[in-house]
């Protein structure tokens, strides 16, 4: 089997795995087919880029399991006019997928190195609607608020107040909540005129949401 055929087969299996885990939204599947996970996984683990598993990246962080990325993106229900805030850039993979679905994506990470590496990939892929920032994501991005959608890729004990405050009325936030050393729940928060509505989606495991900047 040629290298190209092998890669095509792995990508086809990748999409099949997403569907079998419940990622059924056509726009989300289209974005995940268009954004190759390969460039976001480096070094020893690059061979496993098309497997449905989380993988280590720099700064002691991970790139999330593709099916979890797909389910979180699907739960966000992003429209082409939306402005999205992502807390936890990591490899940049989630932001790249969001860029195919939204008007504008702002992504924050506490690790300068991760932001720098993600920006380089966004540039390579001509994803010019993403702004990647080094900062403390637990405070959100007040100068660009409000946001139509907010996604958090690290677990807090409760949805952070500053992020709820930066979510537009009618907006959706998706994030893992729970103790960092136990199984967490992925939840979706709808902000309505009457307050906040919560849906519990599934059990997940994410790194904890930490305050301050990371030491690279």
């Amino acid at each position: 089997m040629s290298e190209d055929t092998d890669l095509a087969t792995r990508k086809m299996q990748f999409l099949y795995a997403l569907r079998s885990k419940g990622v059924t939204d056509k726009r989300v599947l289209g974005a995940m087919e268009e954004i190759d996970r390969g460039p976001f996984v480096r070094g020893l683990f690059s061979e496993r880029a098309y497997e449905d598993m989380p993988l280590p990246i720099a700064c002691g962080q991970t790139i999330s399991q593709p099916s979890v990325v797909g389910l979180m993106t699907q739960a966000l229900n992003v429209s082409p006019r939306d402005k999205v805030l992502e807390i936890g850039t990591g490899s940049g993979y989630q932001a790249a997928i969001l860029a195919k679905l939204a008007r504008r994506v702002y992504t924050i990470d506490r690790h300068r190195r991760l932001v720098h590496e993600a920006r380089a990939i966004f540039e390579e892929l001509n994803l010019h609607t993403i702004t990647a920032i080094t900062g403390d994501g637990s405070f959100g991005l007040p100068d660009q608020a409000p946001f139509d959608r907010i996604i958090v890729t690290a677990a807090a004990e409760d949805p952070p107040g500053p992020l709820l405050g930066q979510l537009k009325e009618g907006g959706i936030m998706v994030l893992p909540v729970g103790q960092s050393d136990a199984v967490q729940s992925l939840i979706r928060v709808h902000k309505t005129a009457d307050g906040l509505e919560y849906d519990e989606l599934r059990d997940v495991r994410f790194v904890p949401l930490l305050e301050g900047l990371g030491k690279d």
Side-chain angles (χ1 to χ4, degrees), residues 112-181:
R112 193 176 305 279
R113 176 182 169 184
L114 293 180
V115 171
H116 180 75
E117 289 178 358
R119 276 186 192 144
I121 301 176
F122 300 152
E123 193 66 36
E124 278 171 36
L125 299 178
N126 293 317
L127 297 173
H128 301 303
T129 57
I130 304 174
T131 301
I133 298 156
T134 305
D136 185 342
S138 57
F139 294 107
L141 200 58
D143 60 341
Q144 293 297 337
F147 295 94
D148 301 287
R149 301 288 185 268
I150 298 177
I151 185 169
V152 185
T153 60
E157 285 194 34
D158 297 294
L163 300 183
L164 290 171
Q166 290 169 37
L167 187 63
K168 208 179 260 188
E169 189 179 300
I172 296 171
M173 178 157 71
V174 173
L175 75 162
V177 293
Q179 297 289 343
S180 59
D181 58 351

Side-chain angles (χ1 to χ4, degrees), residues 3 6 10 41-51 55:
E3 203 170 306
D6 182 42
R10 281 194 287 164
V41 183
R42 302 185 177 199
L44 293 173
F45 295 96
S46 57
E47 280 295 303
R48 311 187 79 170
Y50 304 105
E51 293 179 29
L55 294 168

Side-chain angles (χ1 to χ4, degrees), residues 4 15 25 37 39 45 63 69 93 118-119 127 131 149 164-165 189 193:
D4 286 351
L15 290 168
D25 184 292
R37 194 177 183 232
F45 295 96
I63 178 172
V69 171
Y93 179 60
R119 276 186 192 144
L127 297 173
T131 301
R149 301 288 185 268
L164 290 171
V189 185

Side-chain angles (χ1 to χ4, degrees), residues 102-119:
R103 174 174 61 89
R104 186 92 211 156
V105 177
Y106 291 87
T107 181
I108 306 178
D109 202 285
R110 61 196 294 271
H111 294 283
R112 193 176 305 279
R113 176 182 169 184
L114 293 180
V115 171
H116 180 75
E117 289 178 358
R119 276 186 192 144

